[in-house]
Structures are given as structure tokens and as C-alpha cells.
Amino acid sequence: MMDSQIPHTCRAAEIENLEASLARKVREGMTDKRGALLYGPTGLGKTFAMVAAMKAISRAMPSRQFGPNVILDEERNTVCKFVDWPEFVAGLDRNENATSQLFAWRGPLFVDDVGQEHFAASGYKQGWAESIFEQFVNRRTGSGLALWVTTNLMPNEMRDRYGERAMSRLAEHCVLIRLEGADRRLTA
């Protein structure tokens, strides 16, 4: 199930390893809503929590469908897809089919580090990646497809960068989970 883009520090992620209040919110994203927007400062475990949800959803998929068909990613033999957003944006100039492949994905999708794309993309143009993300959110949420997103941006910053429509749809479609505290990487 493990995707090569998943950070090695998250390989052991399990919902049981999360703090109780965070685990409860993550489970809500798996049941009541069609995903979650995990946001807050760097180093609080947003990606770890998202990967824990991804693993739990993957285990449950044979008895549960997200859409008319359970679609397997034949390359990795998984029902969930993890996308490192900055890496995805940086690779768009090398892979013209990447956007259509991502838009076509029907299974649960886990998008990490939204808002950091300007650091990874050579030749980054203001508005380009933002427009792709807004279209992507609109299509996923409009189709009722599971979407999990992590970001260091606050919801008002997401709205300012990606548009009112994208943030509104994320808020309607996903559980909003704010993580707070000190950077765990620095205090470990």
C-alpha cells in the first residue's frame, strides 16, 4: 500500500498512534465527510495523521466503495493515492499528462503540503498552480470524491490564494482539523 512519495517518517503512521482528539477528528473525516483539511504550523503531524487515515481507508476498501467502482492503481496496487503537491507542481513541465491523470483518479486522494508549491517549481508563475488546485478541488468535491489535504496555510490564506470557491467547497466537503503547538521535530 505504501506510495513512494510518502515521507519515510510517516511509514509507521496508524490512527491508534494519534492523540485521542485528533484520532476522533480523523475518523470523522473517514465517515461523516469525504476527507479532511489538516492545517497548522510546520511539524505538528499533519502528514502523519493523513497517512494514518490513508492506511485505515485502504484496509477498509474491499468492503467499501468510493464511487461507482473501486479503482485500483495497478502500478502500486493500492486504492488510495498520495500526492506531494510541491513535487507534483514541479513535475508538470516534464509530464503533460500529470494533471489529467490526477483529475481522473476516482479513489481517495491524499494531497500533502498545499501552499508550498512555489518552493519546488522552477519557473513557477503566480496563479498557475493555484488555478490548477482550484479546478481540482471543484471537480473532486463536485463529484463527491474523497479528498484529504494538508497545508501550513490557515483557511483565510487558502481562500486568498486558491479562491473563495475552492475554500468554501473544502469547508463543506471536508472536516477542518486545526493542529496547534510547538514543532515536534524541534522538541523531540
Side-chain angles (χ1 to χ4, degrees):
M1 196 273 330
M2 297 313 283
D3 191 303
S4 62
Q5 288 191 331
I6 294 173
H8 73 280
T9 55
C10 296
R11 300 288 167 133
E14 297 291 344
I15 290 181
E16 297 75 28
N17 297 340
L18 302 176
E19 294 172 359
S21 62
L22 178 56
R24 187 173 48 257
K25 291 175 185 175
V26 167
R27 285 187 181 102
E28 182 183 343
M30 293 169 53
T31 56
D32 296 345
K33 296 275 190 162
R34 306 283 297 160
L37 171 64
L38 295 99
Y39 65 96
T42 301
L44 298 181
K46 296 178 297 291
T47 302
F48 191 87
M50 185 172 73
V51 170
M54 180 179 175
K55 290 168 78 174
I57 290 169
S58 289
R59 287 185 198 112
M61 285 299 285
S63 62
R64 188 171 171 196
Q65 290 191 348
F66 288 83
N69 298 309
V70 172
I71 297 180
L72 295 175
D73 178 347
E74 295 173 12
E75 178 183 310
R76 294 185 184 93
N77 195 27
T78 183
V79 293
C80 297
K81 190 172 197 67
F82 182 94
V83 176
D84 179 311
W85 186 251
E87 288 295 318
F88 172 77
V89 170
L92 286 176
D93 59 346
R94 295 184 306 275
N95 182 356
E96 58 191 47
N97 296 323
T99 303
S100 60
Q101 290 169 357
L102 191 60
F103 277 56
W105 180 258
R106 307 291 295 169
L109 185 64
F110 298 80
V111 184
D112 193 33
D113 268 344
V114 170
Q116 298 300 309
E117 58 274 0
H118 59 284
F119 292 115
S122 60
Y124 173 79
K125 296 178 183 163
Q126 186 69 30
W128 176 66
E130 290 83 351
S131 175
I132 292 171
F133 185 74
E134 180 185 18
Q135 293 172 38
F136 170 70
V137 167
N138 290 336
R139 288 191 188 183
R140 295 279 311 171
T141 59
S143 299
L145 300 172
L147 176 62
W148 292 72
V149 176
T150 69
T151 183
N152 294 341
L153 301 174
M154 300 302 284
N156 63 322
E157 295 171 307
M158 291 281 291
R159 182 196 66 232
D160 292 347
R161 184 172 294 181
Y162 301 105
E164 186 76 38
R165 176 185 287 178
M167 189 57 224
S168 175
R169 290 191 177 189
L170 281 170
E172 174 186 43
H173 189 78
C174 299
V175 174
L176 301 182
I177 303 174
R178 180 178 183 168
L179 281 78
E180 299 178 287
D183 185 328
R184 294 177 185 173
R185 294 181 198 119
L186 298 176
T187 58

